Amino acid sequence: MSTLLELFADSLLCFLAALFIASAIHLVPGQHVQVVAQSNIVWLAAGFALAMLLLYSFVGLYRQGSTPMGLGTILRRALLALLIGAYIIYLLISEVANGPSAGYVAGFVMLYLLVGLVMVRVAVFLMQRAIGAPRVLIVGTGAEAQSVAQDLSALRRIERKVVGFYPTSTEGPAAVSGDKVFSRSLSIEEVVRQNDVDEIIVAVREQRGGGIPVDQLLACRIRGTPVLDLAGFYERAKAEVPIDSLKASWLIYSQGFVQGPARRAAKRVFDVVTSSLLLVITAPVMLLTALLIRLDSPGPIIYRQERVGLGGRSFMCLKFRSMRTDAEKDGVARWATQNDSRITRVGAFIRKTRIDELPQLLSVLRGEMSMVGPRPERPSFVAELQEQIPFYDLRHSVKPGVTGWAQIRYRYGASVDDARKKHQYDLYYVKNNSLFLDLLVLIETVSVVLFREGAH
């Protein structure tokens, strides 16, 4: 909710700033201004607001991590976006109004936007403090309940106040403190009413056997109190689908996993348009990269490697070569790690900036990959991961991507444990995939690359 408020307030501020620009260049004496139709000014202002929101997004101002950004980080990122915006404004004003006024107007507008941006976030913070965090009742007293309580405390962006725990009859020894455990002599409805509970989280992995008072939970749900299970809580709180507590029935009956003809057609159009545009924009970077690889170490410029794609079918994944040609001279596939000794000097840079992935835009045009999706793995790794990670094959129900939800949410993966964690993010994407989510991933990828927030 706070992000939506910030988006709305920032867009309004930018829209008003554009109207001020239109007014100011008409009021500067001695300027020969090209008159713009009044009806077009509104559209120009809306376009400016959209452009600034994209710049804010590219620097990560709306990126939701486990903890909110500090004021210093917000200021640094906002200044980067505003400097780019100021330059664009300066060029536009110079086209319609000659003289030194362009610099003054652009500078004033950027100062106004910076102050407004900070004030919006301070106001949202104070409003959240005044309203207070939603109050949560956790059903369960075991390790899962304790883990949920700890996550609610750590994840400040979804801050909740735990009012206590309600025990079930099938759990073993309690893992939570006794002073917060309600007596089973009270019904859940009474606990909810007496403690002004806003939400209930059922933190019990095994729900069969009659240990959970389903009738009481249903009564609370009917009266308007949301009830979440473990999978639903983590999907909302962490934007991932936890596989430890996941059941096939939840995947079958829950909403999502939309892969109809309309979705596939929209995604294909999106892939073709964005990959074509990026190929044109990044062509100079790709040519320079190819030259540097050739000068840095012997071997091919493009590295082709077999990967597993849609439906479990293999394809040849293209990348700029970032390792020595003898990286796997014994023929054994190995996980790439951070600070890997096999990586060349140029390779270290292009991996950090994801330039090595740019040749995969050609695979997107050929239809082997998508712009957004789970990263494709090598067949030998897939065989290993299928045995150790539940529901691993679900990632092959969509095309692999140049970038993905797991890449912008998790660090570099170099082990089975890392693959398990990233798979939880991939499941979230497969379940919730949409054109909006694809756009969000592409925008946040820019922030990840610029500020090295995520993984390769």
Side-chain angles (χ1 to χ4, degrees), residues 155-173:
L155 297 172
R156 290 172 52 196
R157 68 179 180 85
I158 58 158
E159 187 177 0
R160 299 289 191 272
K161 178 178 176 56
V162 177
V163 300
F165 303 84
Y166 191 87
T168 65
S169 62
T170 57
E171 286 186 296

mmCIF file of all heavy atoms in Angstrom, residues 155-173:
data_model
loop_
_atom_site.group_PDB
_atom_site.id
_atom_site.type_symbol
_atom_site.label_atom_id
_atom_site.label_comp_id
_atom_site.label_asym_id
_atom_site.label_seq_id
_atom_site.Cartn_x
_atom_site.Cartn_y
_atom_site.Cartn_z
ATOM 1 N N LEU A 155 10.770 -8.553 8.407
ATOM 2 C CA LEU A 155 10.332 -7.949 7.158
ATOM 3 C C LEU A 155 9.585 -6.655 7.437
ATOM 4 O O LEU A 155 8.362 -6.621 7.553
ATOM 5 C CB LEU A 155 9.440 -8.921 6.383
ATOM 6 C CG LEU A 155 10.111 -10.221 5.931
ATOM 7 C CD1 LEU A 155 9.090 -11.188 5.361
ATOM 8 C CD2 LEU A 155 11.187 -9.936 4.899
ATOM 9 N N ARG A 156 10.329 -5.574 7.525
ATOM 10 C CA ARG A 156 9.726 -4.297 7.933
ATOM 11 C C ARG A 156 8.755 -3.748 6.904
ATOM 12 O O ARG A 156 7.871 -2.962 7.230
ATOM 13 C CB ARG A 156 10.835 -3.287 8.200
ATOM 14 C CG ARG A 156 11.646 -3.589 9.455
ATOM 15 C CD ARG A 156 12.839 -2.679 9.585
ATOM 16 N NE ARG A 156 12.454 -1.274 9.479
ATOM 17 C CZ ARG A 156 13.331 -0.294 9.246
ATOM 18 N NH1 ARG A 156 14.596 -0.567 9.073
ATOM 19 N NH2 ARG A 156 12.917 0.951 9.178
ATOM 20 N N ARG A 157 8.898 -4.150 5.639
ATOM 21 C CA ARG A 157 7.998 -3.601 4.614
ATOM 22 C C ARG A 157 6.586 -4.174 4.740
ATOM 23 O O ARG A 157 5.644 -3.623 4.180
ATOM 24 C CB ARG A 157 8.557 -3.873 3.220
ATOM 25 C CG ARG A 157 8.553 -5.329 2.806
ATOM 26 C CD ARG A 157 9.113 -5.487 1.407
ATOM 27 N NE ARG A 157 9.131 -6.867 0.970
ATOM 28 C CZ ARG A 157 8.106 -7.477 0.419
ATOM 29 N NH1 ARG A 157 6.971 -6.825 0.276
ATOM 30 N NH2 ARG A 157 8.195 -8.731 0.035
ATOM 31 N N ILE A 158 6.435 -5.309 5.454
ATOM 32 C CA ILE A 158 5.095 -5.841 5.730
ATOM 33 C C ILE A 158 4.920 -5.963 7.244
ATOM 34 O O ILE A 158 4.461 -6.978 7.749
ATOM 35 C CB ILE A 158 4.873 -7.204 5.049
ATOM 36 C CG1 ILE A 158 5.941 -8.205 5.519
ATOM 37 C CG2 ILE A 158 4.835 -7.097 3.567
ATOM 38 C CD1 ILE A 158 5.514 -9.632 5.342
ATOM 39 N N GLU A 159 5.288 -4.921 7.933
ATOM 40 C CA GLU A 159 5.305 -4.959 9.393
ATOM 41 C C GLU A 159 3.946 -5.360 9.966
ATOM 42 O O GLU A 159 2.899 -4.860 9.562
ATOM 43 C CB GLU A 159 5.705 -3.582 9.926
ATOM 44 C CG GLU A 159 5.913 -3.563 11.429
ATOM 45 C CD GLU A 159 6.384 -2.203 11.907
ATOM 46 O OE1 GLU A 159 6.546 -1.300 11.058
ATOM 47 O OE2 GLU A 159 6.594 -2.043 13.121
ATOM 48 N N ARG A 160 3.989 -6.303 10.887
ATOM 49 C CA ARG A 160 2.801 -6.773 11.578
ATOM 50 C C ARG A 160 3.099 -6.883 13.070
ATOM 51 O O ARG A 160 4.230 -7.106 13.467
ATOM 52 C CB ARG A 160 2.357 -8.159 11.059
ATOM 53 C CG ARG A 160 1.987 -8.217 9.589
ATOM 54 C CD ARG A 160 0.675 -7.496 9.338
ATOM 55 N NE ARG A 160 0.164 -7.751 7.997
ATOM 56 C CZ ARG A 160 0.490 -7.033 6.925
ATOM 57 N NH1 ARG A 160 1.364 -6.043 7.034
ATOM 58 N NH2 ARG A 160 -0.047 -7.316 5.745
ATOM 59 N N LYS A 161 2.058 -6.752 13.894
ATOM 60 C CA LYS A 161 2.199 -6.946 15.332
ATOM 61 C C LYS A 161 1.557 -8.274 15.708
ATOM 62 O O LYS A 161 0.357 -8.473 15.515
ATOM 63 C CB LYS A 161 1.535 -5.807 16.117
ATOM 64 C CG LYS A 161 1.614 -5.991 17.635
ATOM 65 C CD LYS A 161 0.995 -4.822 18.357
ATOM 66 C CE LYS A 161 0.993 -5.069 19.868
ATOM 67 N NZ LYS A 161 2.340 -5.341 20.408
ATOM 68 N N VAL A 162 2.365 -9.202 16.214
ATOM 69 C CA VAL A 162 1.859 -10.514 16.608
ATOM 70 C C VAL A 162 1.238 -10.397 17.994
ATOM 71 O O VAL A 162 1.932 -10.107 18.981
ATOM 72 C CB VAL A 162 2.986 -11.564 16.607
ATOM 73 C CG1 VAL A 162 2.452 -12.907 17.098
ATOM 74 C CG2 VAL A 162 3.597 -11.703 15.211
ATOM 75 N N VAL A 163 -0.076 -10.629 18.073
ATOM 76 C CA VAL A 163 -0.754 -10.525 19.368
ATOM 77 C C VAL A 163 -0.597 -11.809 20.184
ATOM 78 O O VAL A 163 -0.776 -11.799 21.410
ATOM 79 C CB VAL A 163 -2.247 -10.195 19.192
ATOM 80 C CG1 VAL A 163 -2.410 -8.871 18.462
ATOM 81 C CG2 VAL A 163 -2.971 -11.309 18.443
ATOM 82 N N GLY A 164 -0.279 -12.924 19.514
ATOM 83 C CA GLY A 164 -0.084 -14.168 20.239
ATOM 84 C C GLY A 164 -0.266 -15.381 19.351
ATOM 85 O O GLY A 164 -0.449 -15.269 18.128
ATOM 86 N N PHE A 165 -0.214 -16.550 19.983
ATOM 87 C CA PHE A 165 -0.289 -17.829 19.285
ATOM 88 C C PHE A 165 -1.452 -18.644 19.844
ATOM 89 O O PHE A 165 -1.679 -18.673 21.058
ATOM 90 C CB PHE A 165 1.017 -18.614 19.466
ATOM 91 C CG PHE A 165 2.235 -17.871 19.007
ATOM 92 C CD1 PHE A 165 2.877 -16.960 19.850
ATOM 93 C CD2 PHE A 165 2.754 -18.066 17.739
ATOM 94 C CE1 PHE A 165 4.005 -16.276 19.436
ATOM 95 C CE2 PHE A 165 3.883 -17.378 17.312
ATOM 96 C CZ PHE A 165 4.514 -16.479 18.162
ATOM 97 N N TYR A 166 -2.150 -19.319 18.933
ATOM 98 C CA TYR A 166 -3.261 -20.170 19.359
ATOM 99 C C TYR A 166 -2.854 -21.622 19.132
ATOM 100 O O TYR A 166 -2.581 -22.032 17.998
ATOM 101 C CB TYR A 166 -4.527 -19.851 18.564
ATOM 102 C CG TYR A 166 -5.772 -20.505 19.117
ATOM 103 C CD1 TYR A 166 -6.513 -19.896 20.115
ATOM 104 C CD2 TYR A 166 -6.188 -21.759 18.649
ATOM 105 C CE1 TYR A 166 -7.648 -20.499 20.628
ATOM 106 C CE2 TYR A 166 -7.318 -22.371 19.160
ATOM 107 C CZ TYR A 166 -8.044 -21.731 20.160
ATOM 108 O OH TYR A 166 -9.165 -22.338 20.677
ATOM 109 N N PRO A 167 -2.788 -22.441 20.197
ATOM 110 C CA PRO A 167 -2.290 -23.817 20.064
ATOM 111 C C PRO A 167 -3.293 -24.725 19.377
ATOM 112 O O PRO A 167 -4.507 -24.517 19.440
ATOM 113 C CB PRO A 167 -2.070 -24.240 21.516
ATOM 114 C CG PRO A 167 -3.041 -23.417 22.300
ATOM 115 C CD PRO A 167 -3.164 -22.096 21.578
ATOM 116 N N THR A 168 -2.768 -25.752 18.700
ATOM 117 C CA THR A 168 -3.608 -26.788 18.123
ATOM 118 C C THR A 168 -3.402 -28.072 18.920
ATOM 119 O O THR A 168 -2.448 -28.204 19.677
ATOM 120 C CB THR A 168 -3.244 -27.035 16.645
ATOM 121 O OG1 THR A 168 -1.913 -27.549 16.570
ATOM 122 C CG2 THR A 168 -3.325 -25.750 15.852
ATOM 123 N N SER A 169 -4.278 -29.030 18.717
ATOM 124 C CA SER A 169 -4.235 -30.241 19.531
ATOM 125 C C SER A 169 -3.276 -31.299 19.011
ATOM 126 O O SER A 169 -3.009 -32.287 19.694
ATOM 127 C CB SER A 169 -5.641 -30.848 19.618
ATOM 128 O OG SER A 169 -6.101 -31.220 18.314
ATOM 129 N N THR A 170 -2.724 -31.109 17.791
ATOM 130 C CA THR A 170 -1.881 -32.147 17.198
ATOM 131 C C THR A 170 -0.402 -31.793 17.202
ATOM 132 O O THR A 170 0.415 -32.601 16.768
ATOM 133 C CB THR A 170 -2.313 -32.403 15.744
ATOM 134 O OG1 THR A 170 -2.247 -31.177 14.999
ATOM 135 C CG2 THR A 170 -3.731 -32.948 15.695
ATOM 136 N N GLU A 171 -0.027 -30.603 17.664
ATOM 137 C CA GLU A 171 1.378 -30.205 17.650
ATOM 138 C C GLU A 171 2.125 -30.773 18.845
ATOM 139 O O GLU A 171 1.548 -31.084 19.895
ATOM 140 C CB GLU A 171 1.499 -28.672 17.653
ATOM 141 C CG GLU A 171 1.143 -28.042 16.321
ATOM 142 C CD GLU A 171 1.404 -26.549 16.324
ATOM 143 O OE1 GLU A 171 0.743 -25.847 17.098
ATOM 144 O OE2 GLU A 171 2.275 -26.101 15.571
ATOM 145 N N GLY A 172 3.437 -30.879 18.680
ATOM 146 C CA GLY A 172 4.292 -31.337 19.760
ATOM 147 C C GLY A 172 4.617 -30.202 20.718
ATOM 148 O O GLY A 172 3.826 -29.258 20.872
ATOM 149 N N PRO A 173 5.787 -30.256 21.348
ATOM 150 C CA PRO A 173 6.188 -29.214 22.293
ATOM 151 C C PRO A 173 6.217 -27.829 21.645
ATOM 152 O O PRO A 173 6.610 -27.670 20.490
ATOM 153 C CB PRO A 173 7.597 -29.654 22.716
ATOM 154 C CG PRO A 173 7.635 -31.122 22.443
ATOM 155 C CD PRO A 173 6.781 -31.339 21.234
#
